[in-house]
Amino acid sequence: MPRPSRSTSFGFSGQTSYLRALLRGWTDQPRLLTAVDLLIAFLLVIYPFVMGGRESWGHWLLITCACLLSGLWCLHRFFEAGRLRWLGLEPLLFAGLLLVWFQTQPLPDALLRRVSGEYERLIPAWGLLQQAAKPDVEAGNSGATDTAGATDAEGTTGAWTTISFLPVETRHALLVLTAYGLIAAVFVQRLSSEADCRWILKLTAVSGVLMAIFAVLQLLLSNDRFFWFYQHPWTGTREVLKGAFTNRNHFAQFLVLSLGPLIWWALAGGEPGANVTVMNRRGLGPAQGNHSQIDTLLDPRQLLLLAGTAGVLISVLLSLSRGGFLAAGTACCVVFAGLWRSGRVGSSMAVSIIVLGSLAIAGMAVFGGQKVENRVAQLATLDSDKLDESNARRSIWRADFRALQRFPLLGTGVGSHRYVYPVFMEDLADYTSCTFSHAESSWVHLALETGWTGVTLLALGLGVIVLRIGLAFLRRTDSGRIAALAAAAAALAGGLVHSVADFIWYVPAIVVTTLALIIAALRLCSADGSDSGIPLPRPAWMGMAAGCLVLAISVQPALQQRITGEHWWYRYLVSAFESRRAIAERGLETDEAIPVGDSDEGVEAAASMVAESADNSEDELTQTEGVAAYGRRTAVQPADPRERIQELRAQLAMLLKSWKVRPAHPDVAVHIARRSLELFELMQSESDNPLPLVQIRDAVLGSDFTSQQAMLEFLNRAFGNNIRLPLLADTMSRNALLLCPLQTEAWKNLISTGFLRDPRDAEHLRMMAQTLRLGRFDPTIRFSVGQSLFLSGRPEEAVVQWNAAFHANRDIRKRICVALAPRFPADAVLQNFKPGLMELEDVFQAYRQQQSPNDMRRLVEAIAEQSRKIPEASLDAMTTDAEASDGGSWEPAGDEAAGAGGDVALNSAGDEELQEPRLVQLLMGAASTAGELKIPGIQETLLRRAATVAPESEWPRRALGMLLFERQDYPSAERLFAACAELSPGDTQLEDLRRECRRLQQQKQRRLRTVSGAASGK
């Protein structure tokens, strides 16, 4: 690294001299070395602003810069000569790369079964995909698809052959890991002295301060786009501080990496002896020097660094990342302990800590105190129920550990997590509104994707690093090295803490910075030795430089394809989301879900999605990035099918463009299939021959076609170009399964499109069984299989599948009820599914469309029976002053708290807000129907119970008052109207009703007296 000359000058003039010396050092050293240093500075300071390196652009930059950096270093060594330095950790790195490479290699069936027998058990039907050739189909502007990337390595033996369930992504991960290895190797070679390590610490500190400043500006001036122009499909910039990261946890961790270097730089980062000199010159009294100069009293450099440290710490807090809080606290403790051990700081430490703490507290008070306080309070409780309120982290961890038991040795393949965990997540029904792209724990995620082998390799490497740093703290006496070592070790300690509950190692910018700090720490643990290492001849250095150049050139086409494919994929997602939001304002709903990808806040976003979509979520995708998680929310459909057709055409065109440039993207293939099937059904509804796909299948099966060609000719004549859409869906579903055999939605699609390959659809049952094997915990899969069975004339078997989905998801429950209502009486639903009170709402709405008095009578009786857990309010209770009511919710006790169908008791604020309005509407709707059916007893019971649920609502009381008014119970009705008037003051209609009650009561009493007098006169 460039080494500026030592200077005892402090203040702004000293910093100017420092910069001049730095530039002079760069110009004096060899140009190749200067280029290497500039690339290192780029990776540490600029690269994090490329969305943390997570996007395809970030991967391209990472891999290209790694090859260029290592190539330039090898060229420098070729011209200057030198040795190859080692840290002793290289064998573990090579073993890790070998493990990931081995996951992508085709293996014999016998060997794969020895690795894990789960491959054969999970996907026995995968060989069916090889039996039929891909039809030459075209849809829209581009229908022919290139699947070369889908079949290049998975073999044609009829069985899955690789350890990885997603070998395409595992190969790309191998390339990323290789880039990390190259960058680390250059760091090992380049950092040869304490001055070099100090330079890395300062670069890290500058990067953190710049990211914090950018994050604050982006939030204050936010238009919900990153850098004010980049619209990310899954997250925005208005919620919390994120900087250039899509996840606040990643943003917080990146800042934590800079905390140790910042504190070190501010308190002990000057030249040896400088701090002592400054402290001596700042004492009070005439003997301590000339106090007329401001730079003898205050060090502007130190003040700026302390302000930067406070700003970074405040930014971590304002990110509201609880993992970031812990990581920041750990880093601060480690660096201060190391600085105390070094003895490099004097009495100024106390003042500095006070200033730092004061600035942090002031920042929290100004910018976000209550939210920060809540997050810290949650963290301080150490209560898992408060730290993980949605139970999402614990659920995904349980699922991952179940999967790990099945694939213990080598895992399921790097990049496969989001496709593996649903197969093993028993409570998946609680999280159908999101997809967990990551395990929300670096260690759990690593264990699932690389097995215990990968965890062991990483643990060994980290163990060696921690041991060497710990021994250096104990043995070394060089105060400057101990202080710098503490700064680097603080970043490692914070990352280790944060990695337990977040997948922070997914972000390239964090990994690169962490590698730089670890290698700097290890270099500080040993003595300077530029001549140590293995001697290599110049031709070897040239050969390695050529290899780096070849690697950089060879990977460019694939990386460019990923960039272009991701561009169109993101455009599709943004289009779909905007369409959904625009149409949602119309209040129209559909049963199809739009994908929400790597969600911003991991499991916390997943939890919010669950809460927001509890009434209408159904299908894929998210997320919870989580998590960097994929989330899934329900879409809405416009009233005019032609408008939706145009939207689908545009979206399908984007997806096909993405697929053409990058055919090895399983999610794109699945969404092409999904959009194609939806578009086909809509176009069929507008055509002259409006048969849905299921009826077309029935017609094909009943026609006894002798060949696929004959069937396709018939379908082309009958349905024209529309039939190309289900053909495209079938092709894309098969291509997606060739890339990853665990995609349940692709198997589900083949249940309905399989007849397009075989007119007899002989493998229909096997496809159905395969779908259930992978999606047995997914209620959407259970519903789809049940729907297929129901439409095939097997309602009993359909009910068995629907039973598993009925209680899991409201949208699915609605669809089941709509399917059953025209064909089965309400008693069949009540007996087969045993719905709870809130579930009866969906049954009630579906059967109300049929207008069957018998069904409605039965359902009203069932609602009244299910509502028995709600105490029936007495008239006195309903006519008390509204201000005296507790305004609270009813809370069933004991076993009544859980209904037959798994009702949620209204015993928390969140549940009240979600359930109470629906429950009141259900009871009032049932009461209205009971009135139409002339069942006054049940009507009154339901109204009284509705008044119990909503003690501050006058609606049930008014309805009950009208019922009593019609029954001529005028005193009771007048009391209810009076209570309603207290709840809704100023309602003149209520006053009129009260006067009418009094008038009619007086008339009634006069008639009674007249009748009584006449009777006594006789």
Side-chain angles (χ1 to χ4, degrees):
M1 296 294 172
R3 299 179 177 85
S5 60
R6 180 179 299 183
S7 173
T8 58
S9 175
F10 290 85
F12 292 113
S13 59
Q15 299 310 303
T16 304
S17 300
Y18 178 86
L19 292 176
R20 284 199 300 265
L22 177 63
L23 294 175
R24 190 162 50 247
W26 262 337
T27 57
D28 291 343
Q29 67 184 11
R31 293 185 180 180
L32 286 174
L33 192 57
T34 300
V36 169
D37 291 344
L38 289 174
L39 272 176
I40 290 175
F42 173 83
L43 287 171
L44 293 179
V45 179
I46 306 300
Y47 178 66
F49 286 87
V50 188
M51 304 304 293
R54 285 184 58 183
E55 314 286 319
S56 293
W57 272 103
H59 285 191
W60 173 78
L61 268 176
L62 174 72
I63 297 167
T64 303
C65 286
C67 294
L68 184 59
L69 180 66
S70 54
L72 289 174
W73 176 258
C74 291
L75 284 177
H76 166 68
R77 282 303 195 189
F78 171 77
F79 289 111
E80 302 291 333
R83 295 171 176 263
L84 181 65
R85 301 190 185 99
W86 294 86
L87 286 178
L89 297 174
E90 287 77 7
L92 295 176
L93 174 61
F94 290 136
L97 293 174
L98 182 62
L99 168 62
V100 178
W101 171 82
F102 188 66
Q103 288 181 333
T104 66
Q105 301 308 299
L107 302 178
D109 292 345
L111 179 57
L112 196 63
R113 282 195 297 270
R114 293 191 65 180
V115 173
S116 174
E118 200 70 5
Y119 292 97
E120 186 177 11
R121 189 193 71 82
L122 280 180
I123 46 175
W126 188 79
L128 299 176
L129 303 175
Q130 308 285 342
Q131 295 179 0
K134 179 181 65 177
D136 186 12
V137 59
E138 198 173 293
N141 294 330
S142 87
T145 58
D146 179 12
T147 58
T151 59
D152 56 344
E154 284 66 43
T156 58
T157 62
W160 189 256
T161 60
T162 61
I163 291 172
S164 173
F165 280 113
L166 191 58
V168 170
E169 285 303 310
T170 306
R171 293 189 196 99
H172 179 70
L174 177 61
L175 196 58
V176 173
L177 293 174
T178 302
Y180 290 151
L182 292 174
I183 292 173
V186 174
F187 281 140
V188 171
Q189 312 306 309
R190 184 66 186 90
L191 304 184
S192 59
S193 66
E194 180 183 351
D196 295 336
C197 298
R198 292 161 63 90
W199 174 246
I200 291 295
L201 293 176
K202 292 178 180 180
L203 283 178
T204 304
V206 170
S207 181
V209 171
L210 292 177
M211 183 63 71
I213 294 173
F214 169 73
V216 172
L217 291 176
Q218 184 173 248
L219 182 65
L220 294 177
L221 306 176
S222 175
N223 60 355
D224 210 31
R225 298 190 177 202
F226 290 90
F227 302 96
W228 299 277
F229 70 87
Y230 177 51
Q231 183 177 6
H232 197 277
W234 300 316
T235 184
T237 60
R238 288 176 176 165
E239 300 86 4
V240 293
L241 289 184
K242 298 174 187 173
F245 296 83
T246 58
N247 188 298
R248 63 182 175 188
N249 296 316
H250 300 159
F251 166 73
Q253 176 57 34
F254 182 78
L255 294 189
V256 167
L257 294 176
S258 67
L259 269 178
L262 276 168
I263 295 173
W264 161 82
W265 197 1
L267 300 181
E271 294 295 329
N275 284 34
V276 177
T277 303
V278 173
M279 286 188 290
N280 289 336
R281 297 177 64 187
R282 291 179 191 165
L284 297 178
Q288 297 301 324
N290 183 2
H291 301 285
S292 62
Q293 297 179 11
I294 188 65
D295 60 355
T296 64
L297 299 175
L298 298 174
D299 181 3
R301 177 189 65 83
Q302 190 174 45
L303 289 179
L304 287 175
L305 288 172
L306 286 173
T309 306
V312 168
L313 186 57
I314 292 171
S315 299
V316 172
L317 295 174
L318 294 182
S319 71
L320 303 183
S321 169
R322 292 169 300 190
F325 297 171
L326 282 177
T330 303
C332 289
C333 290
V334 171
V335 72
F336 277 118
L339 292 177
W340 172 81
R341 170 72 174 81
S342 72
R344 287 296 303 275
V345 292
S347 59
S348 62
M349 175 182 287
V351 178
S352 301
I353 294 175
I354 293 173
V355 171
L356 182 62
S358 300
L359 288 174
I361 293 172
M364 285 188 290
V366 172
F367 290 108
Q370 188 61 43
K371 290 183 179 180
V372 175
E373 180 182 349
N374 293 338
R375 304 290 284 187
V376 174
Q378 291 174 356
L379 197 58
T381 63
L382 298 180
D383 185 346
S384 59
D385 291 330
K386 292 184 178 180
L387 293 174
D388 185 24
E389 294 179 359
S390 65
N391 197 40
R393 272 189 171 88
R394 287 168 287 176
S395 293
I396 191 60
W397 291 346
R398 284 194 295 268
D400 287 340
F401 278 117
R402 292 190 191 100
L404 182 59
Q405 292 174 357
R406 307 295 180 88
F407 304 93
L409 184 60
L410 300 176
T412 60
V414 178
S416 63
H417 177 271
R418 67 183 303 266
Y419 301 102
V420 174
Y421 84 86
V423 181
F424 301 94
M425 193 174 189
E426 294 180 355
D427 52 352
L428 184 65
D430 297 333
Y431 304 99
T432 54
S433 60
C434 57
T435 297
F436 297 92
S437 60
H438 300 95
E440 295 302 324
S441 169
S442 299
W443 293 94
V444 175
H445 190 99
L446 180 69
L448 174 65
E449 294 191 344
T450 63
W452 292 117
T453 303
V455 172
T456 302
L457 291 174
L458 181 62
L460 284 175
L462 291 175
V464 171
I465 294 169
V466 172
L467 179 62
R468 290 176 62 179
I469 293 176
L471 291 175
F473 270 121
L474 296 176
R475 295 178 178 178
R476 295 195 67 88
T477 59
D478 186 340
S479 62
R481 280 184 176 252
I482 293 178
L485 182 60
L492 175 61
L496 287 176
V497 170
H498 202 175
S499 68
V500 174
D502 279 304
F503 189 32
I504 58 173
W505 297 332
Y506 173 65
V507 185
I510 292 177
V511 175
V512 170
T513 305
T514 303
L515 286 174
L517 292 172
I518 288 176
I519 294 170
L522 294 178
R523 278 296 177 206
L524 290 168
C525 292
S526 58
D528 289 348
S530 57
D531 294 331
S532 63
I534 302 174
L536 282 183
R538 293 176 185 265
W541 288 110
M542 178 56 72
M544 289 190 291
C548 293
L549 178 62
V550 170
L551 178 62
I553 295 175
S554 63
V555 299
Q556 292 305 312
L559 294 177
Q560 292 299 324
Q561 288 175 1
R562 292 180 70 91
I563 292 173
T564 307
E566 183 180 78
H567 166 74
W568 289 109
W569 169 241
Y570 279 8
R571 283 194 60 178
Y572 157 73
L573 290 176
V574 170
S575 171
F577 297 155
E578 290 179 347
S579 172
R580 182 195 65 195
R581 284 191 290 265
I583 301 170
E585 298 175 358
R586 309 176 192 178
L588 302 169
E589 190 175 320
T590 185
D591 58 6
E592 211 282 320
I594 293 296
V596 177
D598 195 9
S599 94
D600 169 35
E601 308 305 342
V603 295
E604 295 169 11
S608 66
M609 289 180 189
V610 171
E612 292 173 12
S613 60
D615 292 345
N616 58 5
S617 65
E618 187 253 331
D619 212 324
E620 195 185 355
L621 144 83
T622 117
Q623 260 167 111
T624 118
E625 231 38 329
V627 106
Y630 272 81
R632 297 182 289 190
R633 298 192 184 182
T634 301
V636 291
Q637 214 169 98
D640 186 1
R642 289 172 294 183
E643 180 182 345
R644 180 60 178 165
I645 287 174
Q646 294 303 317
E647 292 175 353
L648 287 173
R649 286 183 182 274
Q651 292 172 9
L652 194 55
M654 297 176 193
L655 287 169
L656 287 169
K657 288 179 180 178
S658 177
W659 175 262
K660 289 186 73 173
V661 295
R662 187 191 169 193
H665 195 315
D667 289 337
V668 171
V670 167
H671 281 274
I672 290 175
R674 177 187 294 174
R675 299 280 84 82
S676 297
L677 291 176
E678 181 184 357
L679 180 58
F680 174 75
E681 298 293 352
L682 285 174
M683 293 180 68
Q684 279 296 103
S685 67
E686 299 289 306
S687 68
D688 296 332
N689 191 9
L691 287 180
L693 188 62
V694 63
Q695 294 184 13
I696 296 175
R697 176 180 179 273
D698 291 340
V700 168
L701 294 181
S703 300
D704 294 328
F705 289 106
T706 57
S707 66
Q708 181 189 24
Q709 183 63 31
M711 176 194 64
L712 292 177
E713 291 177 358
F714 164 76
L715 294 176
N716 284 324
R717 289 195 303 270
F719 304 103
N721 291 335
N722 288 0
I723 201 61
R724 294 182 297 175
L725 291 168
L727 284 168
L728 179 62
D730 183 83
T731 298
M732 287 300 171
S733 296
R734 293 174 186 273
N735 287 337
L737 292 172
L738 291 173
L739 291 165
C740 177
L742 300 185
Q743 297 191 94
T744 52
E745 182 162 348
W747 288 110
K748 181 183 71 176
N749 292 339
L750 294 183
I751 295 175
S752 57
T753 63
F755 74 95
L756 296 172
R757 298 295 183 111
D758 177 12
R760 297 172 302 165
D761 206 4
E763 304 298 341
H764 182 73
L765 293 180
R766 289 189 64 184
M767 291 292 184
M768 194 177 297
Q770 175 66 75
T771 305
L772 280 176
R773 183 174 288 105
L774 297 176
R776 62 190 185 279
F777 300 130
D778 190 340
T780 63
I781 296 300
R782 292 279 194 170
F783 170 77
S784 297
V785 172
Q787 186 180 47
S788 180
L789 291 169
F790 185 81
L791 296 174
S792 300
R794 299 155 69 181
E796 296 81 7
E797 298 176 52
V799 168
V800 172
Q801 298 300 326
W802 283 348
N803 242 319
F806 187 87
H807 304 289
N809 185 286
R810 189 185 181 196
D811 184 69
I812 293 176
R813 184 164 54 249
K814 288 180 179 180
R815 298 173 66 183
I816 292 173
C817 295
V818 169
L820 292 175
R823 305 190 184 187
F824 295 91
D827 260 332
V829 176
L830 297 176
Q831 293 174 8
N832 284 289
F833 300 111
K834 296 180 175 55
L837 179 58
M838 296 309 303
E839 294 170 336
L840 279 170
E841 176 188 11
D842 304 316
V843 183
F844 183 78
Q845 291 176 355
Y847 276 86
R848 185 157 55 183
Q849 304 298 323
Q850 304 302 315
Q851 298 182 346
S852 170
N854 291 334
D855 286 338
M856 297 311 298
R857 177 182 291 271
R858 181 69 184 90
L859 288 174
V860 167
E861 294 172 351
I863 293 172
E865 176 65 19
Q866 282 285 342
S867 66
R868 69 185 185 280
K869 69 184 72 167
I870 307 173
E872 186 175 327
S874 65
L875 187 62
D876 291 337
M878 287 188 288
T879 55
T880 55
D881 189 349
E883 295 181 358
S885 70
D886 59 6
S889 62
W890 59 276
E891 182 175 353
D895 295 336
E896 291 182 351
D903 290 335
V904 179
L906 304 183
N907 55 4
S908 68
D911 288 337
E912 281 179 27
E913 294 174 1
L914 174 64
Q915 296 281 352
E916 184 179 302
R918 284 179 47 203
L919 182 55
V920 173
Q921 291 177 4
L922 172 62
L923 295 173
M924 295 297 292
S928 175
T929 301
E932 296 172 1
L933 297 173
K934 309 299 182 186
I935 319 176
I938 291 180
Q939 183 182 15
E940 182 177 351
T941 297
L942 291 170
L943 290 174
R944 288 177 182 271
R945 289 173 176 165
T948 304
V949 174
E952 293 186 341
S953 174
E954 58 92 18
W955 179 28
R957 290 167 173 75
R958 186 192 293 255
L960 181 58
M962 296 302 298
L963 175 63
L964 296 178
F965 184 88
E966 294 174 0
R967 291 188 185 179
Q968 299 184 3
D969 186 355
Y970 301 120
S972 298
E974 197 274 334
R975 291 169 59 194
L976 285 168
F977 292 144
C980 292
E982 294 177 355
L983 294 170
S984 300
D987 191 331
T988 57
Q989 184 182 20
L990 289 172
E991 295 299 327
D992 294 340
L993 287 171
R994 293 179 65 186
R995 285 193 294 269
E996 185 67 10
C997 285
R998 289 193 290 268
R999 184 182 69 80
L1000 293 176
Q1001 177 63 16
Q1002 292 173 359
Q1003 289 183 358
K1004 182 178 180 180
Q1005 290 176 348
R1006 284 197 297 270
R1007 287 197 300 269
L1008 289 175
R1009 286 196 294 269
T1010 302
V1011 172
S1012 176
S1016 60
K1018 291 181 179 180

